[in-house]
Amino acid sequence: MDQFQNHNQNGYQQQNQLAEPVSFKEWMITILLCAIPIVNIIMLFVWAFGGNTKISKSNYAKASLLWAAIGIVLYIFIFLLFGAAMIAGFSEMGNYSY
């Protein structure tokens, strides 16, 4: 029975620790790592889906990844839209004779 209580207390302590707010120092390190190309993407995935990350940092990483995905989709959409418009414009230029 003692083992079960210790396990529950350890689980509760770990859960409590993950619910604590992220300190100023941790945010400074987080922002620094997010400024480094390629490292930022890897770390965002680790923080978002790793099991031992504080809840607020995990939510921040998930939101950042979602915004990045939205940005990529919009970029591709705009690129295709303008690309199609340019192709249509160039094909129309060939139909005019001076």
mmCIF file of all heavy atoms in Angstrom, residues 7-27:
data_model
loop_
_atom_site.group_PDB
_atom_site.id
_atom_site.type_symbol
_atom_site.label_atom_id
_atom_site.label_comp_id
_atom_site.label_asym_id
_atom_site.label_seq_id
_atom_site.Cartn_x
_atom_site.Cartn_y
_atom_site.Cartn_z
ATOM 1 N N HIS A 7 3.783 6.134 -5.287
ATOM 2 C CA HIS A 7 3.628 6.304 -6.731
ATOM 3 C C HIS A 7 2.624 7.414 -7.028
ATOM 4 O O HIS A 7 2.853 8.250 -7.899
ATOM 5 C CB HIS A 7 3.197 4.993 -7.387
ATOM 6 C CG HIS A 7 3.037 5.090 -8.870
ATOM 7 N ND1 HIS A 7 4.110 5.307 -9.711
ATOM 8 C CD2 HIS A 7 1.944 5.039 -9.663
ATOM 9 C CE1 HIS A 7 3.682 5.372 -10.949
ATOM 10 N NE2 HIS A 7 2.362 5.204 -10.949
ATOM 11 N N ASN A 8 1.521 7.433 -6.300
ATOM 12 C CA ASN A 8 0.521 8.483 -6.503
ATOM 13 C C ASN A 8 1.078 9.851 -6.136
ATOM 14 O O ASN A 8 0.817 10.827 -6.822
ATOM 15 C CB ASN A 8 -0.739 8.202 -5.679
ATOM 16 C CG ASN A 8 -1.656 7.240 -6.386
ATOM 17 O OD1 ASN A 8 -1.493 6.971 -7.573
ATOM 18 N ND2 ASN A 8 -2.617 6.700 -5.667
ATOM 19 N N GLN A 9 1.833 9.927 -5.036
ATOM 20 C CA GLN A 9 2.409 11.198 -4.631
ATOM 21 C C GLN A 9 3.434 11.675 -5.649
ATOM 22 O O GLN A 9 3.490 12.863 -5.979
ATOM 23 C CB GLN A 9 3.048 11.078 -3.249
ATOM 24 C CG GLN A 9 2.035 11.017 -2.136
ATOM 25 C CD GLN A 9 2.691 10.799 -0.782
ATOM 26 O OE1 GLN A 9 3.876 10.467 -0.706
ATOM 27 N NE2 GLN A 9 1.916 10.969 0.275
ATOM 28 N N ASN A 10 4.266 10.758 -6.161
ATOM 29 C CA ASN A 10 5.249 11.140 -7.182
ATOM 30 C C ASN A 10 4.560 11.617 -8.454
ATOM 31 O O ASN A 10 4.981 12.599 -9.061
ATOM 32 C CB ASN A 10 6.188 9.976 -7.501
ATOM 33 C CG ASN A 10 7.154 9.693 -6.373
ATOM 34 O OD1 ASN A 10 7.382 10.542 -5.519
ATOM 35 N ND2 ASN A 10 7.707 8.496 -6.369
ATOM 36 N N GLY A 11 3.507 10.929 -8.861
ATOM 37 C CA GLY A 11 2.751 11.346 -10.032
ATOM 38 C C GLY A 11 2.107 12.694 -9.820
ATOM 39 O O GLY A 11 2.083 13.541 -10.711
ATOM 40 N N TYR A 12 1.582 12.924 -8.615
ATOM 41 C CA TYR A 12 0.956 14.205 -8.293
ATOM 42 C C TYR A 12 1.990 15.318 -8.267
ATOM 43 O O TYR A 12 1.745 16.404 -8.780
ATOM 44 C CB TYR A 12 0.236 14.120 -6.943
ATOM 45 C CG TYR A 12 -0.425 15.400 -6.542
ATOM 46 C CD1 TYR A 12 -1.585 15.832 -7.168
ATOM 47 C CD2 TYR A 12 0.133 16.204 -5.546
ATOM 48 C CE1 TYR A 12 -2.184 17.015 -6.808
ATOM 49 C CE2 TYR A 12 -0.461 17.397 -5.179
ATOM 50 C CZ TYR A 12 -1.621 17.796 -5.809
ATOM 51 O OH TYR A 12 -2.208 18.972 -5.454
ATOM 52 N N GLN A 13 3.177 15.026 -7.704
ATOM 53 C CA GLN A 13 4.236 16.028 -7.657
ATOM 54 C C GLN A 13 4.704 16.395 -9.070
ATOM 55 O O GLN A 13 4.930 17.569 -9.371
ATOM 56 C CB GLN A 13 5.417 15.533 -6.827
ATOM 57 C CG GLN A 13 5.141 15.512 -5.346
ATOM 58 C CD GLN A 13 6.262 14.835 -4.562
ATOM 59 O OE1 GLN A 13 7.127 14.197 -5.148
ATOM 60 N NE2 GLN A 13 6.220 14.969 -3.247
ATOM 61 N N GLN A 14 4.836 15.377 -9.928
ATOM 62 C CA GLN A 14 5.268 15.649 -11.298
ATOM 63 C C GLN A 14 4.194 16.463 -12.028
ATOM 64 O O GLN A 14 4.510 17.402 -12.746
ATOM 65 C CB GLN A 14 5.531 14.353 -12.053
ATOM 66 C CG GLN A 14 6.043 14.595 -13.459
ATOM 67 C CD GLN A 14 6.281 13.313 -14.219
ATOM 68 O OE1 GLN A 14 5.906 12.235 -13.762
ATOM 69 N NE2 GLN A 14 6.888 13.413 -15.372
ATOM 70 N N GLN A 15 2.932 16.112 -11.828
ATOM 71 C CA GLN A 15 1.834 16.853 -12.449
ATOM 72 C C GLN A 15 1.809 18.288 -11.938
ATOM 73 O O GLN A 15 1.599 19.227 -12.699
ATOM 74 C CB GLN A 15 0.512 16.150 -12.131
ATOM 75 C CG GLN A 15 -0.522 16.267 -13.185
ATOM 76 C CD GLN A 15 -1.726 15.418 -12.847
ATOM 77 O OE1 GLN A 15 -1.983 15.099 -11.688
ATOM 78 N NE2 GLN A 15 -2.469 15.039 -13.854
ATOM 79 N N ASN A 16 2.037 18.450 -10.649
ATOM 80 C CA ASN A 16 2.068 19.774 -10.044
ATOM 81 C C ASN A 16 3.227 20.590 -10.604
ATOM 82 O O ASN A 16 3.098 21.781 -10.852
ATOM 83 C CB ASN A 16 2.201 19.634 -8.527
ATOM 84 C CG ASN A 16 1.309 20.582 -7.787
ATOM 85 O OD1 ASN A 16 0.483 21.254 -8.380
ATOM 86 N ND2 ASN A 16 1.484 20.636 -6.487
ATOM 87 N N GLN A 17 4.367 19.931 -10.788
ATOM 88 C CA GLN A 17 5.556 20.607 -11.311
ATOM 89 C C GLN A 17 5.325 21.070 -12.752
ATOM 90 O O GLN A 17 5.758 22.148 -13.138
ATOM 91 C CB GLN A 17 6.751 19.661 -11.247
ATOM 92 C CG GLN A 17 8.068 20.305 -11.600
ATOM 93 C CD GLN A 17 9.212 19.323 -11.498
ATOM 94 O OE1 GLN A 17 9.002 18.106 -11.476
ATOM 95 N NE2 GLN A 17 10.420 19.833 -11.442
ATOM 96 N N LEU A 18 4.619 20.273 -13.546
ATOM 97 C CA LEU A 18 4.350 20.648 -14.931
ATOM 98 C C LEU A 18 3.332 21.779 -15.026
ATOM 99 O O LEU A 18 3.280 22.485 -16.030
ATOM 100 C CB LEU A 18 3.861 19.433 -15.725
ATOM 101 C CG LEU A 18 4.870 18.303 -15.923
ATOM 102 C CD1 LEU A 18 4.240 17.161 -16.686
ATOM 103 C CD2 LEU A 18 6.118 18.789 -16.611
ATOM 104 N N ALA A 19 2.533 21.961 -13.992
ATOM 105 C CA ALA A 19 1.527 23.016 -14.002
ATOM 106 C C ALA A 19 2.089 24.357 -13.530
ATOM 107 O O ALA A 19 1.435 25.379 -13.671
ATOM 108 C CB ALA A 19 0.343 22.609 -13.122
ATOM 109 N N GLU A 20 3.300 24.354 -12.988
ATOM 110 C CA GLU A 20 3.916 25.602 -12.530
ATOM 111 C C GLU A 20 4.175 26.526 -13.714
ATOM 112 O O GLU A 20 4.403 26.067 -14.827
ATOM 113 C CB GLU A 20 5.256 25.307 -11.841
ATOM 114 C CG GLU A 20 5.142 24.620 -10.517
ATOM 115 C CD GLU A 20 6.513 24.323 -9.916
ATOM 116 O OE1 GLU A 20 7.535 24.647 -10.555
ATOM 117 O OE2 GLU A 20 6.536 23.760 -8.827
ATOM 118 N N PRO A 21 4.156 27.828 -13.476
ATOM 119 C CA PRO A 21 4.451 28.747 -14.582
ATOM 120 C C PRO A 21 5.922 28.655 -14.994
ATOM 121 O O PRO A 21 6.785 28.295 -14.207
ATOM 122 C CB PRO A 21 4.133 30.125 -13.999
ATOM 123 C CG PRO A 21 4.134 29.950 -12.529
ATOM 124 C CD PRO A 21 3.814 28.516 -12.248
ATOM 125 N N VAL A 22 6.164 28.987 -16.245
ATOM 126 C CA VAL A 22 7.529 28.985 -16.773
ATOM 127 C C VAL A 22 8.222 30.253 -16.281
ATOM 128 O O VAL A 22 7.665 31.339 -16.356
ATOM 129 C CB VAL A 22 7.506 28.925 -18.307
ATOM 130 C CG1 VAL A 22 8.912 28.934 -18.875
ATOM 131 C CG2 VAL A 22 6.754 27.691 -18.774
ATOM 132 N N SER A 23 9.433 30.099 -15.778
ATOM 133 C CA SER A 23 10.153 31.247 -15.217
ATOM 134 C C SER A 23 10.666 32.170 -16.324
ATOM 135 O O SER A 23 10.719 31.807 -17.501
ATOM 136 C CB SER A 23 11.334 30.765 -14.369
ATOM 137 O OG SER A 23 12.330 30.202 -15.199
ATOM 138 N N PHE A 24 11.059 33.364 -15.923
ATOM 139 C CA PHE A 24 11.601 34.355 -16.850
ATOM 140 C C PHE A 24 12.830 33.802 -17.564
ATOM 141 O O PHE A 24 12.970 33.938 -18.787
ATOM 142 C CB PHE A 24 11.946 35.632 -16.084
ATOM 143 C CG PHE A 24 12.552 36.704 -16.936
ATOM 144 C CD1 PHE A 24 11.753 37.489 -17.741
ATOM 145 C CD2 PHE A 24 13.918 36.919 -16.938
ATOM 146 C CE1 PHE A 24 12.298 38.477 -18.545
ATOM 147 C CE2 PHE A 24 14.477 37.896 -17.729
ATOM 148 C CZ PHE A 24 13.668 38.684 -18.534
ATOM 149 N N LYS A 25 13.708 33.163 -16.828
ATOM 150 C CA LYS A 25 14.932 32.597 -17.394
ATOM 151 C C LYS A 25 14.606 31.523 -18.436
ATOM 152 O O LYS A 25 15.201 31.489 -19.514
ATOM 153 C CB LYS A 25 15.793 32.011 -16.278
ATOM 154 C CG LYS A 25 17.110 31.421 -16.750
ATOM 155 C CD LYS A 25 17.930 30.941 -15.586
ATOM 156 C CE LYS A 25 17.856 29.435 -15.557
ATOM 157 N NZ LYS A 25 18.677 28.815 -14.535
ATOM 158 N N GLU A 26 13.630 30.683 -18.130
ATOM 159 C CA GLU A 26 13.243 29.642 -19.079
ATOM 160 C C GLU A 26 12.661 30.242 -20.356
ATOM 161 O O GLU A 26 12.912 29.749 -21.458
ATOM 162 C CB GLU A 26 12.225 28.699 -18.445
ATOM 163 C CG GLU A 26 12.801 27.760 -17.401
ATOM 164 C CD GLU A 26 11.729 26.912 -16.766
ATOM 165 O OE1 GLU A 26 11.052 27.409 -15.846
ATOM 166 O OE2 GLU A 26 11.561 25.763 -17.213
ATOM 167 N N TRP A 27 11.875 31.326 -20.220
ATOM 168 C CA TRP A 27 11.321 31.977 -21.409
ATOM 169 C C TRP A 27 12.433 32.606 -22.234
ATOM 170 O O TRP A 27 12.381 32.589 -23.475
ATOM 171 C CB TRP A 27 10.282 33.035 -21.045
ATOM 172 C CG TRP A 27 8.919 32.468 -20.816
ATOM 173 C CD1 TRP A 27 8.168 32.589 -19.689
ATOM 174 C CD2 TRP A 27 8.137 31.686 -21.722
ATOM 175 N NE1 TRP A 27 6.977 31.935 -19.842
ATOM 176 C CE2 TRP A 27 6.923 31.365 -21.085
ATOM 177 C CE3 TRP A 27 8.339 31.214 -23.012
ATOM 178 C CZ2 TRP A 27 5.925 30.613 -21.685
ATOM 179 C CZ3 TRP A 27 7.347 30.455 -23.618
ATOM 180 C CH2 TRP A 27 6.156 30.170 -22.955
#
